[in-house]
Every structure is written in C-alpha cells, then in structure tokens.
Amino acid sequence: MSRVKPFLRWAGGKTWLTKYIETFLPESFENYYEPFVGGGSMFLFLKSKGIIKKKAYLSDTNAELINAYRIIKSNSEDLINKLESFENNEKFYYKVRETTFDNNLENAARFIYLNKTSFNGIYRVNRKGIYNVPFGYRKIKDLFEFDNLLKVADQLQNTFFSVRDFKESCKKAKAKDLIFLDPPYTVAHENNGFVQYNQSIFSWENQIQLSKLSEKLNNDQIYFIITNAYHNSIKEIYTTGSKIPLIRSSTIGGKGAIRTNYKEILITNIEK
C-alpha cells in the first residue's frame, strides 16, 4: 500500500519521527496503545507497514478528535460526501465555525474542515469551550485528500477508540504490549513555540504523573516509548529507561516562519 498520511494538521505531530522509530521498537509486541493520538502519524505509519499486527487502542481527551476517527472508521463515504459540500472561503468558514451540529457525522465533518482551513490547523477553544481559531486563507486544491482519507479508514479496522486521559487509557495494557506516549510538551526548551499554549492542556503535575506511570509500565513488563522536550527538568523526573536525544527540523508559525532544528528526547524501556 502507498503511504498513508495523517488526515489532520496537528501541532507537535510525530511524522518526522517515523523515519527513525523502527530503530527503537521491540522485535515483536502484542497490542498497541496510543493515549495522545492527535493526528495519528505514528499509528498510521506502524499500521500501514504491518508492524501493528494485533489490536490498537487509540485515545485522547479531545472528544471531537475521537469522534472524527470513529466516523472515518465506520462511515467514511458519507463523511466524504459531506466534506465535498464545504467551501474554502472566509464567509463559509465562519458560518461553519459558528454552527453546532446535532449528529456525529456532521460534527466530524466540521472538525476536519476547521482543521484544514483554520490558521495553522491549531485546535483552540475559549473558556466556554467554543472553537475560536481564525480563518487560515489556505490556497490548496485538494483540501481533504479523499483518497488518503479512505486509506486511513482501511487502517482503522481492528482499532478501538476512547475519550479518556492517559492514566485511564493505559490501565488495560498487559505485558509485552507497546504504548507510544507523545504528551503535549510542558517546559520551555529551545524556544519551542507550542509550549506556553500547552501548559493549560498538560500541566507539570501531569508530567510527573506520566513519569511515575513509566515506572509502573516498566515493572509490569509493558514496552513504552515516550517523546518529550529535551530539558533538564524532564531528564530528572524520568528515572526509568534510556534517554535518547533526537534532532528534528520544524517550522513553527505562520507565513514567513523560519525552519529550525529542535532537540527532543525519547525515553524507552526497550533494550536494543
């Protein structure tokens, strides 16, 4: 099968890491868990390459995101029909942004549409929980890439979704399962532009909880791979597993943004 890409634009996505991830994987594993699924770049890479052979459990605290995955899996053709009626212009964008739909399919279409046409694909809501990202003025012909959307739907078979936090998501994992954890980064590191926004989503207390969870996973003989900011405070609280520095190249910001290299860290109990 040709390459399957994420169907969303997602800040902090790990497409760049897929080039190297096989270096860190165990020779084999049972089920796959991804509690911060986001745009799903890692899952789609591993599944489309046949590396995930059994069940996959994908979760996130963003209910709209998980609803979009479920609709793609179960009703991709009707979703595509709905998306075909959407227009990439400012007037239509704000009309959709201000509309509340009463069914899951229309809500999934709205979520994907806003992601594709908003400024930088950011997901942001105000204190009332209302999406408030401005129009992005993207001039792109194939906005939704329907062929790829159908490929994503194929990869979602034998995959199960839930809206829950990472602690709950990992409770059913057993020995020899693999958990990939890509939390929002919560400490300033090398001028990473995501950090200040993400502090309200994933607090330092959450970061400490995740570090303690990694100890439990290791004790239970569950494989884990955690990506995180390369920062002394992160290296100090994660006491289990190897800490491997990685360099990524990324553009953060809008038009005219400069492409910059950033150092991140991969923490894993998988011995190679």
Side-chain angles (χ1 to χ4, degrees):
M1 174 182 284
S2 58
R3 178 173 171 237
V4 183
K5 300 183 295 182
F7 65 97
L8 297 169
R9 306 153 70 205
W10 208 257
K14 287 299 179 287
T15 297
W16 66 272
L17 182 57
T18 60
K19 300 176 184 178
Y20 316 105
I21 193 63
E22 291 180 77
T23 304
F24 306 108
L25 296 176
E27 291 185 7
S28 64
F29 58 89
E30 296 296 316
N31 297 319
Y32 176 81
Y33 288 76
E34 190 167 341
F36 304 95
V37 64
S41 56
M42 187 58 65
F43 162 77
L44 290 170
F45 174 80
L46 297 176
K47 186 69 183 289
S48 63
K49 289 204 69 174
I51 295 172
I52 297 175
K53 302 181 185 301
K54 297 188 177 181
K55 295 177 180 177
Y57 297 90
L58 309 181
S59 56
D60 203 283
T61 56
N62 187 328
E64 289 193 89
L65 171 67
I66 295 301
N67 177 63
Y69 275 106
R70 285 172 170 158
I71 293 297
I72 291 172
K73 176 183 177 180
S74 64
N75 205 355
S76 56
E77 292 188 6
D78 286 343
L79 175 64
I80 288 172
N81 289 337
K82 183 65 179 178
L83 288 171
E84 285 178 333
S85 69
F86 284 11
E87 302 171 14
N88 183 19
N89 62 65
E90 186 174 6
K91 182 179 179 180
F92 192 86
Y93 175 87
Y94 287 109
K95 178 183 177 182
V96 171
R97 198 184 79 167
E98 294 164 9
T99 301
T100 301
F101 295 105
D102 60 2
N103 69 73
N104 289 336
L105 189 144
E106 288 183 311
N107 279 323
R110 175 183 183 271
F111 179 83
I112 294 169
Y113 169 77
L114 293 177
N115 174 270
K116 290 291 191 178
T117 54
S118 67
F119 176 75
N120 271 5
I122 297 168
Y123 183 87
R124 184 186 66 207
V125 296
N126 62 22
R127 291 182 179 180
K128 295 181 180 179
I130 299 173
Y131 184 84
N132 63 357
V133 181
F135 183 60
Y137 299 98
R138 299 184 75 208
K139 295 180 180 179
I140 181 171
K141 185 178 179 180
D142 190 8
L143 191 65
F144 300 112
E145 299 183 282
F146 292 132
D147 288 345
N148 183 70
L149 200 61
L150 291 172
K151 293 176 184 177
V152 171
D154 287 339
Q155 299 306 314
L156 295 181
Q157 305 312 308
N158 209 28
T159 298
F160 304 89
F161 301 98
S162 61
V163 180
R164 57 182 63 178
D165 76 2
F166 67 96
K167 300 182 294 297
E168 289 295 319
S169 300
C170 296
K171 281 185 176 179
K172 291 186 177 180
K174 298 179 180 179
K176 307 305 179 184
D177 286 344
L178 170 63
I179 304 182
F180 177 72
L181 298 125
D182 177 33
Y185 296 171
T186 48
V187 294
H189 74 303
E190 302 188 2
N191 301 314
N192 186 325
F194 309 140
V195 172
Q196 184 175 4
Y197 167 62
N198 281 338
Q199 284 175 341
S200 64
I201 300 174
F202 196 76
S203 67
W204 183 247
E205 181 182 354
N206 294 143
Q207 193 72 252
I208 293 172
Q209 290 169 345
L210 180 55
S211 69
K212 291 180 179 178
L213 175 63
S214 68
E215 297 175 11
K216 183 179 187 306
L217 296 177
N218 186 63
N219 291 336
D220 292 342
Q221 298 184 312
I222 297 168
Y223 299 123
F224 69 81
I225 297 174
I226 300 172
T227 56
N228 224 310
Y230 189 87
H231 194 274
N232 286 337
S233 60
I234 293 294
K235 290 186 281 184
E236 287 171 5
I237 65 170
Y238 286 88
T239 58
T240 301
S242 302
K243 302 177 185 69
I244 304 160
L246 299 170
I247 301 293
R248 71 177 174 95
S249 179
S250 179
T251 300
I252 299 174
K255 187 176 181 181
I258 299 173
R259 198 161 186 84
T260 310
N261 288 333
Y262 295 90
K263 185 181 285 187
E264 300 195 3
I265 193 167
L266 185 148
I267 305 163
T268 182
N269 64 341
I270 300 168
E271 297 181 4
K272 301 292 287 187

